[in-house]
Short mmCIF file of all heavy atoms in Angstrom, two decimals:
data_model
loop_
_atom_site.label_atom_id
_atom_site.label_comp_id
_atom_site.label_asym_id
_atom_site.label_seq_id
_atom_site.Cartn_x
_atom_site.Cartn_y
_atom_site.Cartn_z
N GLY A 213 -99.68 -96.42 -29.91
CA GLY A 213 -98.89 -96.93 -31.05
C GLY A 213 -98.10 -95.88 -31.75
O GLY A 213 -96.96 -96.03 -32.11
N LEU A 214 -98.77 -94.72 -31.96
CA LEU A 214 -98.11 -93.63 -32.63
C LEU A 214 -96.97 -93.08 -31.71
O LEU A 214 -95.90 -92.71 -32.22
CB LEU A 214 -99.07 -92.49 -32.89
CG LEU A 214 -100.02 -92.68 -34.08
CD1 LEU A 214 -101.02 -91.57 -34.19
CD2 LEU A 214 -99.19 -92.82 -35.38
N LEU A 215 -97.23 -93.07 -30.45
CA LEU A 215 -96.10 -92.54 -29.52
C LEU A 215 -94.95 -93.48 -29.52
O LEU A 215 -93.82 -93.02 -29.46
CB LEU A 215 -96.71 -92.41 -28.10
CG LEU A 215 -95.85 -91.61 -27.09
CD1 LEU A 215 -95.69 -90.20 -27.62
CD2 LEU A 215 -96.56 -91.62 -25.71
N ASN A 216 -95.20 -94.78 -29.57
CA ASN A 216 -94.06 -95.70 -29.67
C ASN A 216 -93.25 -95.46 -30.94
O ASN A 216 -92.02 -95.54 -30.91
CB ASN A 216 -94.63 -97.16 -29.65
CG ASN A 216 -94.95 -97.64 -28.25
OD1 ASN A 216 -94.35 -97.25 -27.29
ND2 ASN A 216 -95.98 -98.53 -28.16
N ASP A 217 -93.95 -95.27 -32.03
CA ASP A 217 -93.20 -94.94 -33.31
C ASP A 217 -92.41 -93.64 -33.19
O ASP A 217 -91.33 -93.56 -33.69
CB ASP A 217 -94.24 -94.82 -34.44
CG ASP A 217 -94.87 -96.10 -34.82
OD1 ASP A 217 -94.32 -97.16 -34.45
OD2 ASP A 217 -95.94 -96.13 -35.48
N TYR A 218 -92.95 -92.69 -32.50
CA TYR A 218 -92.32 -91.40 -32.29
C TYR A 218 -91.04 -91.58 -31.50
O TYR A 218 -89.95 -91.06 -31.82
CB TYR A 218 -93.28 -90.43 -31.59
CG TYR A 218 -92.68 -89.23 -30.95
CD1 TYR A 218 -92.15 -88.16 -31.81
CD2 TYR A 218 -92.49 -89.06 -29.58
CE1 TYR A 218 -91.58 -87.04 -31.27
CE2 TYR A 218 -91.90 -87.91 -29.06
CZ TYR A 218 -91.44 -86.95 -29.93
OH TYR A 218 -90.78 -85.79 -29.41
N ILE A 219 -91.13 -92.37 -30.38
CA ILE A 219 -89.96 -92.61 -29.53
C ILE A 219 -88.92 -93.37 -30.32
O ILE A 219 -87.73 -93.07 -30.24
CB ILE A 219 -90.37 -93.44 -28.31
CG1 ILE A 219 -91.29 -92.54 -27.40
CG2 ILE A 219 -89.12 -93.84 -27.51
CD1 ILE A 219 -91.95 -93.37 -26.22
N ASP A 220 -89.38 -94.36 -31.13
CA ASP A 220 -88.45 -95.13 -31.89
C ASP A 220 -87.65 -94.23 -32.92
O ASP A 220 -86.44 -94.45 -33.16
CB ASP A 220 -89.17 -96.23 -32.73
CG ASP A 220 -89.54 -97.44 -31.83
OD1 ASP A 220 -89.01 -97.47 -30.69
OD2 ASP A 220 -90.39 -98.25 -32.15
N SER A 221 -88.36 -93.28 -33.48
CA SER A 221 -87.72 -92.44 -34.48
C SER A 221 -86.59 -91.59 -33.84
O SER A 221 -85.60 -91.30 -34.48
CB SER A 221 -88.78 -91.46 -35.09
OG SER A 221 -89.20 -90.46 -34.17
N LYS A 222 -86.76 -91.28 -32.53
CA LYS A 222 -85.69 -90.52 -31.88
C LYS A 222 -84.55 -91.46 -31.47
O LYS A 222 -83.40 -91.05 -31.53
CB LYS A 222 -86.29 -89.86 -30.63
CG LYS A 222 -87.39 -88.83 -30.89
CD LYS A 222 -86.91 -87.69 -31.71
CE LYS A 222 -88.00 -86.71 -31.89
NZ LYS A 222 -87.54 -85.58 -32.79
N LEU A 223 -84.92 -92.68 -31.01
CA LEU A 223 -83.90 -93.58 -30.56
C LEU A 223 -83.09 -94.26 -31.67
O LEU A 223 -82.04 -94.82 -31.44
CB LEU A 223 -84.52 -94.65 -29.68
CG LEU A 223 -85.11 -94.21 -28.33
CD1 LEU A 223 -85.69 -95.31 -27.57
CD2 LEU A 223 -84.08 -93.50 -27.46
N ASN A 224 -83.63 -94.26 -32.88
CA ASN A 224 -82.95 -94.95 -34.00
C ASN A 224 -81.51 -94.38 -34.23
O ASN A 224 -80.68 -95.11 -34.81
CB ASN A 224 -83.75 -94.82 -35.31
CG ASN A 224 -84.84 -95.84 -35.37
OD1 ASN A 224 -84.77 -96.86 -34.73
ND2 ASN A 224 -85.85 -95.60 -36.19
N ASP A 225 -81.29 -93.08 -33.85
CA ASP A 225 -79.98 -92.54 -34.01
C ASP A 225 -78.93 -93.24 -33.18
O ASP A 225 -77.75 -93.23 -33.41
CB ASP A 225 -79.94 -91.09 -33.60
CG ASP A 225 -80.71 -90.21 -34.59
OD1 ASP A 225 -80.86 -90.72 -35.76
OD2 ASP A 225 -81.12 -89.11 -34.23
N PHE A 226 -79.47 -94.08 -32.14
CA PHE A 226 -78.52 -94.81 -31.37
C PHE A 226 -77.73 -95.82 -32.15
O PHE A 226 -76.51 -96.08 -31.83
CB PHE A 226 -79.33 -95.54 -30.25
CG PHE A 226 -78.47 -96.41 -29.33
CD1 PHE A 226 -77.73 -95.81 -28.36
CD2 PHE A 226 -78.42 -97.78 -29.47
CE1 PHE A 226 -76.88 -96.56 -27.54
CE2 PHE A 226 -77.61 -98.55 -28.64
CZ PHE A 226 -76.86 -97.96 -27.66
#
Side-chain angles (χ1 to χ4, degrees):
L214 285 175
L215 194 60
N216 282 328
D217 290 342
Y218 165 73
I219 295 171
D220 285 345
S221 71
K222 299 297 183 183
L223 293 180
N224 277 340
D225 289 341
F226 179 75

